[in-house]
Amino acid sequence: MGCLVSTPKDSGGNRRRPTNIGEVSVYVPGLRTPKPVDFSQSLGGHLSKTLVERLNALRTRIVVMAGQEAPTITRTRRKTATQHGGSVLADLHQALEDYLPVLLGLVSDGSQLQFKVQFIWVNQEDDAEETAMFNAWYEVLSVLHLMAVLSLSQANLLLLPRTSDSHQPKVSEERRRSSIDIFLKAAGYLDCAVKHVLPQFPSELRRNLPVDLAEGVLRALCLQALGQGVEIQLGMAIDSIKATLAVKRRLACEMVKYWQQAQDNIMNLPLSNGWGEKHRLFVKWKYVEAKAAAYYYHGLILDEGNTEKSHGMAVAALQAADKYFDESKKACEVFNAAQPLSRNPPLWGTMKYLSEKIPKDTSSKVRINRDLYSHEKIMGTAPTLPDFPLALKPDEYQLPAVDPSWNEILELSHNGMNEVKPDKR
């Protein structure tokens, strides 16, 4: 159950997109925004006036905040504070967290109330401008997706480098550690959406969800968050004198697997417009970039061997790293040139280090090994990367318990009563 209505992209004007989103360390899809809903029209005869008013108030707060901030929230703003001292991202996230336990009362124990209200959200990656559905699980899914996107926005702001006294752009260790926690939180929301919310939809309705909420996109965003978390871990390992080459290679190889899986999930989806195509290009860029890092560290470890074969494999791995690094720079340019336009922040961390080391070490090792061995001893193709199990997992986010304000209604429902008498005021 749950009627779906999609509005073609040329019929409205609710989708407001920036032409330039500024500096991007973390790709953030355009924010899907909710359109107003009057719960009293659909639920007035089924719920108390107090509960209906609470639902209206909680959702209206989100509609207003998201509507005001969506056009600018994905644009880079290094400091975005509200009049109360908090951040817009944090306040909108809190509004969603406040709404979710009350919203979940509509779907509790298979309640038929879940089909009473038509929820409408403006899409960003789908061709259809907006999608309306008489299904409260659609609202839950949209809320989780928005919570994840807000988290990615927050991580992007944390990972934009600041110029220190030495004029070298850097991101503090505290901000890097905080960003990893946020990536895991975002992945947790998306993992919950895939495992616990999508299965609530009938198969036909699930197939007709906007591409923003397609399983492949949700999985790709989850894997993206984990992949970027590992990239931060690799940068911290590079900065640590205790981290061995083996540790760095493992992290780089795990990064490749996360981005490969993200690409596998997203490559066959109809992400043809604006944000969607840019999303695909970001995943492609980061996948190639991760391969450059993995082959670099694999090459350094192979070069520690004492045989002609291992040295030949090392040269091939380093040449692959150099090739993929050049590819990644081109993929990055294509990503930034796609609408909406974006740009890279100043190089720092993992990629600043690798941008200096890969060309230098590749040239040096190739020259040394070619002086020592004949051309035939150097492999023509890159060796296979080691396969490591993925260590970074999403937070185990669980949907919150239904808000206590539903207790009386749910008890009446269990007793077979479908309507609640209005409050006497």
Side-chain angles (χ1 to χ4, degrees), residues 24-182:
V24 173
S25 284
V26 180
Y27 175 76
V28 182
L31 265 66
R32 298 182 74 246
T33 54
K35 296 187 72 175
V37 165
D38 185 356
F39 287 100
S40 60
Q41 288 186 355
S42 308
L43 300 174
H46 302 274
L47 301 179
S48 68
K49 184 178 180 181
T50 301
L51 187 50
V52 169
E53 287 178 347
R54 189 166 180 213
L55 280 165
N56 271 328
L58 289 168
R59 194 175 190 279
T60 299
R61 180 183 172 206
I62 294 167
V63 170
V64 172
M65 291 178 69
Q68 290 174 344
E69 297 302 327
T72 57
I73 215 165
T74 45
R75 283 204 294 268
T76 303
R77 291 180 297 174
R78 293 176 182 265
K79 186 175 182 182
T80 307
T82 66
Q83 60 179 337
H84 304 296
S87 76
V88 171
L89 292 172
D91 288 355
L92 181 50
H93 197 284
Q94 186 60 55
L96 293 163
E97 287 190 337
D98 293 344
Y99 174 52
L100 196 50
V102 185
L103 169 66
L104 286 168
L106 291 175
V107 298
S108 181
D109 296 330
S111 169
Q112 291 301 300
L113 293 176
Q114 67 183 282
F115 306 116
K116 297 288 185 183
V117 184
Q118 185 183 50
F119 296 100
I120 309 170
W121 285 71
V122 177
N123 302 315
Q124 293 293 348
E125 297 189 311
D126 198 271
D127 270 346
E129 180 166 299
E130 61 186 44
T131 301
M133 196 178 296
F134 281 95
N135 192 314
W137 281 114
Y138 170 59
E139 180 84 343
V140 174
L141 184 61
S142 298
V143 166
L144 288 179
H145 177 267
L146 184 49
M147 288 167 67
V149 170
L150 291 173
S151 297
L152 293 176
S153 297
Q154 187 178 1
N156 186 51
L157 291 173
L158 282 174
L159 294 176
L160 295 177
R162 297 176 175 178
T163 303
S164 64
D165 294 337
S166 63
H167 304 295
Q168 289 295 320
K170 63 183 292 185
V171 175
S172 69
E173 183 171 338
E174 180 185 359
R175 290 165 74 89
R176 285 186 280 175
R177 290 188 183 279
S178 295
S179 74
I180 293 173
D181 292 339
I182 292 169

Side-chain angles (χ1 to χ4, degrees), residues 208-224:
N208 289 321
L209 285 167
V211 73
D212 307 57
L213 302 180
E215 182 175 347
V217 169
L218 298 178
R219 288 188 183 276
L221 277 173
C222 178
L223 290 158
Q224 168 193 326

Side-chain angles (χ1 to χ4, degrees), residues 299-343:
L300 294 185
I301 287 179
L302 289 170
D303 195 56
E304 291 180 337
N306 295 318
T307 66
E308 291 184 15
K309 181 179 179 182
S310 67
H311 290 165
M313 292 170 67
V315 169
L318 289 169
Q319 287 177 322
D322 197 40
K323 183 193 79 169
Y324 283 124
F325 189 70
D326 285 342
E327 258 185 62
S328 76
K329 288 190 287 187
K330 293 174 185 175
C332 174
E333 290 173 4
V334 173
F335 164 75
N336 283 324
Q339 292 290 336
L341 301 175
S342 56
R343 64 182 183 274

